[in-house]
Amino acid sequence: DVKVTQSSRYLVKRTGEKVFLECVQDMDHENMFWYRQDPGLGLRLIYFSYDVKMKEKGDIPEGYSVSREKKERFSLILESASTNQTSMYLCASSAPRGYQPQHFGDGTRLSIL
Amino acid sequence: AQTVTQSQPEMSVQEAETVTLSCTYDTSENNYYLFWYKQPPSRQMILVIRQEAYKQQNATENRFSVNFQKAAKSFSLKISDSQLGDTAMYFCAFASQGGSEKLVFGKGMKLTVNP
C-alpha cells in the first residue's frame, strides 16, 4: 500500500513564525501536492511538484513556498505565518497520468495564534 | 478553467438504504477523468471510484457505482446498502487527460449514515 506520511498531525505556531510542514511518500511517485482544506471551501491546491526541484503554483500559493530536494519528500513552508493560514493541510502523491489516483496523508491541523 | 459543483452540502440516510450524491462539472475538454474521494471523520482521504470520460460504461466498485452523463456533465455517486462506515465527507474531482495531473475538487458533501 502507498504510504504518505505527514510529519505532524497537530501543530500550533505563532504569528510571524516560519513554519515547515513535511511530507514523505514511499511509492516513488513523481507527483506530489499540497492542499489546504477549509470547511465549505473543499480542497484548494497550494503547490504541486512533478519532479525533483520542479514546482508549480496552484490556486492559492500566496504566503507559501515549497521545496522538493528528494523525490520522496515535499515540504510546505509558511514564510511568515498569519492567523488566516490556520487550516488543515493535506499532502498527496500520485504516479504520472491523469487517471492515476492521488494518495493522501492524514493531514496536519495547523493553528496560528 | 474547469469547475466542479456539489450542490448538496449535507445528507443523511438510514443504514441499508441507497443514497445518491450529485456532482456536476464544467469543461471544454472531451477526454478527462472523474473521481469520487471519501474522507471519514479524522481519517485519511481515500479513492472511492473513478471514471474515464471516453468510457461509456459506468464504473462500479462493490456497493459504489456512478451515473456518468457526459453530455449533461453530471457524475453522481450511488451508494447501495449504506453502512455506518460510509459516514464521511465525499468529494467529487476532475482531472484533465493531458498536461498536469492536478485535480479540481468540489466543495464536498457530508454524508451521515444513521443506525
Side-chain angles (χ1 to χ4, degrees):
Chain A
D1 277 354
V2 176
K3 185 75 173 172
V4 178
T5 303
Q6 294 185 229
S7 54
S8 304
R9 195 73 190 268
Y10 301 93
L11 203 57
V12 180
K13 295 292 183 180
R14 297 208 172 273
T15 304
E17 280 193 67
K18 191 170 186 176
V19 181
F20 293 85
L21 303 183
E22 307 286 346
C23 176
V24 177
Q25 50 96 0
D26 66 356
M27 280 301 291
D28 203 36
H29 283 164
E30 281 78 2
N31 300 328
M32 295 190 75
F33 307 83
W34 274 107
Y35 295 93
R36 173 175 170 160
Q37 183 178 8
D38 298 290
L41 297 179
L43 274 72
R44 293 179 291 168
L45 182 64
I46 304 172
Y47 268 98
F48 72 101
S49 169
Y50 50 89
D51 202 351
V52 175
K53 297 190 186 295
M54 306 301 287
K55 60 185 179 184
E56 284 196 25
K57 293 180 180 179
D59 301 317
I60 52 165
E62 297 78 19
Y64 303 94
S65 62
V66 290
S67 172
R68 194 166 180 201
E69 297 296 320
K70 293 185 178 181
K71 192 174 185 179
E72 68 271 18
R73 186 180 297 271
F74 192 36
S75 303
L76 179 69
I77 304 156
L78 285 66
E79 297 291 344
S80 178
S82 64
T83 54
N84 63 13
Q85 292 178 308
T86 291
S87 187
M88 170 70 86
Y89 290 87
L90 296 177
C91 175
S93 72
S94 72
R97 301 290 182 272
Y99 58 83
Q100 296 293 343
Q102 292 187 12
H103 299 267
F104 287 82
D106 288 336
T108 296
R109 188 165 293 284
L110 176 64
S111 296
I112 307 296
L113 304 179
Chain B
Q2 292 85 6
T3 59
V4 176
T5 302
Q6 294 178 250
S7 57
Q8 308 149 300
E10 198 164 349
M11 291 182 73
S12 63
V13 66
Q14 294 300 121
E15 200 173 4
E17 290 185 347
T18 294
V19 62
T20 299
L21 286 60
S22 65
C23 173
T24 59
Y25 58 94
D26 189 26
T27 183
S28 58
E29 299 176 17
N30 190 47
N31 294 315
Y32 47 86
Y33 309 99
L34 295 164
F35 304 82
W36 278 100
Y37 282 86
K38 167 185 176 181
Q39 186 181 40
S42 300
R43 291 179 61 190
Q44 203 175 56
M45 179 105 67
I46 57 173
L47 177 71
V48 175
I49 198 166
R50 62 182 165 185
Q51 175 82 38
E52 294 159 51
Y54 67 86
K55 291 186 177 179
Q56 292 187 333
Q57 186 171 7
N58 289 323
T60 299
E61 289 285 343
N62 300 313
R63 297 183 295 107
F64 299 89
S65 61
V66 298
N67 183 4
F68 173 49
Q69 303 286 333
K70 192 173 184 180
K73 296 180 182 176
S74 171
F75 183 60
S76 60
L77 174 69
K78 186 172 84 171
I79 305 174
S80 303
D81 186 25
S82 297
Q83 300 176 358
L84 297 179
D86 295 332
T87 292
M89 286 290 295
Y90 286 83
F91 293 92
C92 179
F94 171 102
S96 297
Q97 183 187 42
S100 71
E101 284 92 26
K102 293 189 295 182
L103 284 176
V104 178
F105 283 89
K107 289 180 169 37
M109 196 220 71
K110 183 179 180 181
L111 175 68
T112 301
V113 180
N114 297 308

